Amino acid sequence: IYSHFSCFTFLKMIPIAILVGGLGTRLRPITETIPKSLLEVAGEPFIAHQLRELARQGIQNVVICVGYLGEQIEEFVKDGSEYGIYVQYSYETNDLLGTGGAIRNALHLLTDDFFVLYGDSWLDIDYRSVYESFQNSGKTALMTVYRNEGRWDTSNVEMDGNRIIFYSKTKRNPRMTHIDYGLGILKPNIFEQYPEGANFDLAEIYESLSDSGRLASFEAKNRFYEIGSHDGLKELNQLIKHKKEVK
């Protein structure tokens, strides 16, 4: 088991892939000219808040998986030094590859264990605790989950205690009480069966891992926020503005 200090230090070495390649269709027409990650939240582009939070948690190596309007994101973030982190970019050059394909495309920039974060998610979670949980689980991957009970979106995770019995975005059942929280830990060999350039969803990987008992879980206690919808964007804007005022 890692000590607090050694695990925090170790987090500096573990990269995080941020998936920002989506089209942001629910936010059109705004996202026809600007990627979701650059939408303004509390006075600055959303990705600035994300990167600052990652740096605060001790993560220093970020791989941004860009697709649609990705050059705008690179132009804004640059090498990440403004946030105290090191940023590299993995581009989907021709066709969009889906969330799984985007990670497969970026494997040459990732190490043996890496975090995956959705580019439209704002999470109040301790990355050190998540990584310690993964290390202690002995599993191939980890998914953070949240007890949803159908409140924020359709529940897609069936749990037994702390164990994920089954995850699926397509094969629902009434025993599903939790939802994918938006942060995971994966190993590169999970993607070996897919050729480079393949288009597939990360949910497909998670479903297969859960089905074979290889997916660990970490239950988040604080709800997630997202900028994938107009309501979500408005809500997060208010939250971060309030946090700034409290400081």
Side-chain angles (χ1 to χ4, degrees), residues 7-19 47 50-65 77-81 83-90 106-117 127 131 183-184:
C7 194
F8 186 83
T9 306
F10 199 61
L11 282 185
K12 292 181 178 180
M13 300 163 59
I14 299 171
I16 183 163
I18 307 181
L19 302 171
I47 198 166
Q50 268 193 328
L51 295 177
R52 204 174 291 118
E53 173 63 12
L54 292 176
R56 187 188 72 79
Q57 296 245 10
I59 290 171
Q60 293 192 343
N61 186 359
V62 176
V63 176
I64 302 180
C65 299
V77 174
K78 300 182 174 65
D79 65 358
S81 55
Y83 306 96
I85 55 178
Y86 174 56
V87 175
Q88 299 178 84
Y89 299 87
S90 173
L107 286 184
H108 63 289
L109 300 174
L110 300 167
T111 55
D112 190 41
D113 298 339
F114 58 90
F115 286 101
V116 175
L117 173 67
Y127 284 68
Y131 190 71
L183 178 71

Side-chain angles (χ1 to χ4, degrees), residues 142-175:
L142 177 142
M143 173 189 281
T144 55
V145 299
Y146 182 71
R147 182 172 282 279
N148 178 56
E149 307 285 3
R151 283 175 297 173
W152 312 112
D153 205 337
T154 309
S155 297
N156 51 30
V157 182
E158 180 184 348
M159 301 287 291
D160 178 15
N162 292 324
R163 194 164 66 93
I164 292 177
I165 299 294
F166 189 56
Y167 163 84
S168 178
K169 286 169 79 173
T170 55
K171 301 168 189 168
R172 312 285 192 185
N173 73 52
R175 297 177 301 282

